[in-house]
Amino acid sequence: MEKALLAVEAVDPAEVVDLLKALVRIPSHYPGPGEEGVVGFLEAYLGERGFKPFRQEAALGRPNLVADLGEGEGGLILEGHTDVVTPGDESLWRYPPYGAVVDGGRLYGRGACDMKGGLAALIGALLAVKRAFGKLPRPLRLAALADEEGMMLGVKAFVRAGLHRGFRGALVAEPEAMEVCLWQKGALRLRLCFPGRMAHGAMPYAGDNPIPKAARFVLALKEVEALLQKEFPHPFLGLPYLTPTRFLASAGEGQLNVIPSKAEVALDVRTTPGMDHAALVARLAGLAGVEVEVLEDRPPVETPPSDPLVQAAEEALRLLGLPVRHGGVPGATDGTFLRAWAGLPVVVLGPGERTLPHQVDEWVDLEEVVLAARVYAALAVLYLD
């Protein structure tokens, strides 16, 4: 406990806040500039402080950055992502999205909450542990990964390369209002194509209109969703959802008098633990009468409350006089693949309100970011010492 307090005291609030400002001022949305600018900045920043960070290319021009403190087995991964979503129409923002303006204790900017606040807190904790102890008996690995907001190419490349091996847990700093989140919803991105046959709109009997078939499927989804919600509610994740997000059917721009040759429906499916993704896809295919193309499959995951990483997180919060509140992540995070593919216990715990990501005038509370850094520093010592 005394060592954990030493790590907490070694956190430099000004250092954490200045780092967060610098990160927010670097645009890192994709499509756009991407993660290169943030990675280049952190590479130099950590190098100046005695680390030897290395890059891993998750995709062309989209690097992951990894930095270690200590060596050996049984360490802890500190994970955050470096990409953000687009700011959209910047004229709608009260403050410039890349200005990192501080007002009333809040720092405003794209990515401030999701999740450069959490990333700055992780690095602040890493630096605090280094100042207090040099290193711990087991290693800490910072994983600043690309493309979390897209297809999660960064964490997939990280795991495929075996960069998780030798570690026994992962802390993910997504904005969850400092709840200890042990459950994450699964996600399926699906596409269905309903075939038709072109014909003149005045003579529909000469063709085969795919739109009614697609529409009947979309309407039938509600009944399936209702049944799944009765069968698979979750106390921390809520209900599963089958959400149509795209409906396309056209014989060409402006061709209002032509029956199209196909109709396409895209679904964003969110699942809870216990749901079988393969069985659900087969069920939807049977309902639609067409093949279902699986574009992405992210399983629901959970970490047992009895895991030592969870116990360390709870103890760190209590050490700082904070309430221990359990929660669930309504979407997927990089932690989904660290759990499902790498097999690591994962705790998602980070500063920021969970409803703020991707909004105009996104912000994060600076005191909470510094507090998160202190919690992470204590957690690392409690888990690894």
Side-chain angles (χ1 to χ4, degrees), residues 257-343:
N257 61 341
V258 180
I259 291 172
S261 60
K262 66 177 180 179
E264 177 184 308
V265 175
L267 302 180
D268 182 352
V269 178
R270 301 294 170 153
T271 62
T272 53
M275 295 181 67
D276 185 320
H277 280 197
L280 178 56
V281 169
R283 183 175 183 176
L284 294 177
L287 179 67
V290 299
E291 183 179 349
V292 177
E293 181 183 2
V294 179
L295 304 176
E296 178 75 338
D297 186 344
R298 302 171 183 174
V301 295
E302 53 188 310
T303 295
S306 59
D307 190 89
L309 179 59
V310 181
Q311 301 302 308
E314 294 176 352
E315 191 174 350
L317 288 165
R318 284 191 289 265
L319 182 67
L320 285 154
L322 299 173
V324 174
R325 297 174 294 124
H326 285 169
V329 180
T333 74
D334 285 339
T336 298
F337 290 101
L338 292 172
R339 181 66 177 149
W341 287 14

Side-chain angles (χ1 to χ4, degrees), residues 126-362:
L126 187 69
L127 294 173
V129 169
K130 187 173 187 292
R131 272 193 293 269
F133 308 110
K135 59 183 179 180
L136 295 172
R138 293 189 289 271
L140 287 171
R141 168 162 286 178
L142 175 70
L145 305 184
D147 193 46
E148 192 274 347
E149 300 290 3
M151 297 300 284
M152 297 188 175
L153 299 176
V155 70
K156 291 174 181 176
F158 182 87
V159 174
R160 286 183 179 125
L163 293 175
H164 65 286
R165 295 194 185 114
F167 291 83
R168 66 187 181 110
L171 170 65
V172 177
E174 289 280 2
E176 297 294 342
M178 296 304 291
E179 288 186 351
V180 180
C181 293
L182 308 182
W183 302 271
Q184 300 183 60
K185 273 191 176 180
L188 284 162
R189 306 280 170 78
L190 307 177
R191 182 164 57 203
L192 300 88
C193 286
F194 295 82
R197 189 172 67 255
M198 291 178 67
H200 198 296
M203 295 170 283
Y205 49 83
D208 180 16
N209 196 335
I211 294 177
K213 292 182 280 187
R216 283 192 292 270
F217 169 74
V218 170
L219 291 174
L221 282 177
K222 269 299 174 187
E223 184 177 345
V224 176
E225 181 183 71
L227 292 172
L228 291 172
Q229 289 178 347
K230 287 182 180 178
E231 190 174 357
F232 296 103
H234 191 275
F236 292 98
L237 294 174
L239 302 174
Y241 293 103
L242 310 178
T243 306
T245 54
R246 188 169 62 188
F247 195 122
L248 300 175
S250 175
E253 186 177 354
Q255 296 295 304
L256 302 182
N257 61 341
V258 180
I259 291 172
S261 60
K262 66 177 180 179
E264 177 184 308
V265 175
L267 302 180
D268 182 352
V269 178
R270 301 294 170 153
T271 62
T272 53
M275 295 181 67
D276 185 320
H277 280 197
L280 178 56
V281 169
R283 183 175 183 176
L284 294 177
L287 179 67
V290 299
E291 183 179 349
V292 177
E293 181 183 2
V294 179
L295 304 176
E296 178 75 338
D297 186 344
R298 302 171 183 174
V301 295
E302 53 188 310
T303 295
S306 59
D307 190 89
L309 179 59
V310 181
Q311 301 302 308
E314 294 176 352
E315 191 174 350
L317 288 165
R318 284 191 289 265
L319 182 67
L320 285 154
L322 299 173
V324 174
R325 297 174 294 124
H326 285 169
V329 180
T333 74
D334 285 339
T336 298
F337 290 101
L338 292 172
R339 181 66 177 149
W341 287 14
L344 297 175
V346 171
V347 166
V348 182
L349 171 68
E353 297 298 323
R354 61 167 52 95
T355 58
L356 288 175
H358 306 186
Q359 289 194 25
V360 166
D361 289 327
E362 178 184 349

Side-chain angles (χ1 to χ4, degrees), residues 17-18 20-26 95-103 106-110 112 366:
V17 171
D18 287 346
L20 175 55
K21 289 178 180 177
L23 293 175
V24 170
R25 286 171 180 152
I26 303 171
Y95 301 108
Y98 297 111
V101 174
V102 176
D103 186 1
R106 297 174 175 180
L107 187 144
Y108 289 84
R110 175 54 82 224
L366 291 176

Side-chain angles (χ1 to χ4, degrees), residues 71-90:
E71 299 176 347
E73 298 285 317
L76 175 66
I77 294 171
L78 306 176
E79 195 276 338
H81 63 85
T82 53
D83 62 319
V84 300
V85 298
T86 175
D89 184 351
E90 296 190 22

